[in-house]
Amino acid sequence: NAGVMQNPRHLVRRRGQEARLRCSPMKGHSHVYWYRQLPEEGLKFMVYLQKENIIDESGMPKERFSAEFPKEGPSILRIQQVVRGDSAAYFCASSPSGGFNEKLFFGSGTQLSVL
Amino acid sequence: ELKVEQNPLFLSMQEGKNYTIYCNYSTTSDRLYWYRQDPGKSLESLFVLLSNGAVKQEGRLMASLDTKARLSTLHITAAVHDLSATYFCAVGPEGGNTGKLIFGQGTTLQVKP
């Protein structure tokens, strides 16, 4: 049973380009969460999605960032017109059903570097 | 606003010694997690603590939760080099969605032979 799969592992973009980060949850998991980790900091919640629905996007920056989790395929975190401050590790996590005492299973992350 | 603070942020210790990492949080919570992260890797779930007085142990690590004091501890017994990593505690805001966790800054543990 494969874990949470994220790709790419590393992504380099120039300022102004778009970044697309993909996350495939664990098999049987229908809840996906995106977190951002800045250097030497803890993870910060960005968004929580179920299939075709955004449940909580309270941690998403108001502009340039969007996320989706379509009926088929992986969840996508999209960053438009990237800036240097977007450089960070982006982690995706999944859980089976969003239950109270469920663990989150994290992917290996995508390291985004903006030149 | 829920805040989570860990201390110490960096810990260097000798193999065989015991030590404790502390995690304080600012408002009521209904669950607390401990994670381990190796450099450049993802987070590995260690413990989930759901009630006051909860204690869980796995190998040389033991975690406890005091909801009245809003404090969790991660105790390391007879440390070995393999425990070198960064340890995060994360708290779930009471009544919040299950995946929205507030993380501490992390404690980087370095165990020297």
Side-chain angles (χ1 to χ4, degrees):
Chain A
N1 186 10
V4 178
M5 304 299 291
Q6 289 188 249
N7 67 83
R9 189 79 174 87
H10 300 277
L11 181 60
V12 180
R13 286 287 178 266
R14 295 191 181 280
R15 280 180 297 169
Q17 291 184 319
E18 179 179 287
R20 283 186 178 236
L21 288 62
R22 295 176 195 78
C23 169
S24 296
M26 283 183 73
K27 188 176 180 181
H29 288 194
S30 58
H31 295 242
V32 165
Y33 315 85
W34 285 93
Y35 281 80
R36 176 164 63 176
Q37 184 179 31
L38 294 170
E40 298 184 17
E41 292 189 13
L43 279 71
K44 297 213 183 318
F45 170 81
M46 298 181 76
V47 63
Y48 164 30
L49 309 108
Q50 286 179 261
K51 287 282 187 182
E52 301 183 282
N53 285 305
I54 296 174
I55 307 301
D56 182 340
E57 55 181 349
S58 57
M60 288 279 269
K62 294 284 185 277
E63 298 177 346
R64 302 187 296 108
F65 285 71
S66 62
E68 63 176 6
F69 188 15
K71 188 176 180 182
E72 301 291 338
S75 175
I76 307 283
L77 179 67
R78 182 183 178 204
I79 311 171
Q80 295 178 288
Q81 299 175 327
V82 296
V83 300
R84 288 219 173 105
D86 297 333
S87 296
Y90 291 82
F91 288 96
C92 167
S94 73
S95 68
S97 57
F100 170 74
N101 59 348
E102 287 180 353
K103 288 182 187 178
L104 296 189
F105 293 83
F106 282 83
S108 298
T110 293
Q111 181 64 52
L112 173 65
S113 298
V114 179
L115 304 180
Chain B
E1 182 189 347
L2 175 57
K3 292 185 180 178
V4 181
E5 291 190 349
Q6 289 181 233
N7 74 84
L9 299 184
F10 182 78
L11 178 55
S12 180
M13 56 194 296
Q14 296 292 129
E15 278 193 329
K17 298 291 186 183
N18 304 332
Y19 211 84
T20 300
I21 300 171
Y22 298 89
C23 173
N24 290 272
Y25 53 99
S26 59
T27 64
T28 54
S29 169
D30 47 19
R31 60 214 144 85
L32 188 139
Y33 302 78
W34 283 96
Y35 286 91
R36 168 183 171 146
Q37 185 181 37
D38 291 294
K41 306 283 187 179
S42 185
L43 280 76
E44 174 192 353
S45 177
L46 295 174
F47 303 108
V48 182
L49 302 167
L50 300 174
S51 59
N52 188 41
V55 177
K56 292 196 175 178
Q57 183 162 8
E58 181 76 33
R60 301 174 187 274
L61 301 177
M62 183 174 71
S64 65
L65 178 62
D66 180 344
T67 57
K68 292 179 182 176
R70 297 176 186 165
L71 171 69
S72 179
T73 60
L74 181 67
H75 187 72
I76 303 152
T77 302
V80 293
H81 181 68
D82 285 353
L83 290 179
S84 298
T86 298
Y87 294 84
F88 291 97
C89 66
V91 175
E94 198 168 48
N97 81 64
T98 51
K100 185 177 180 179
L101 302 180
I102 310 299
F103 279 78
Q105 315 96 305
T107 296
T108 298
L109 173 65
Q110 185 181 79
V111 181
K112 297 179 179 177

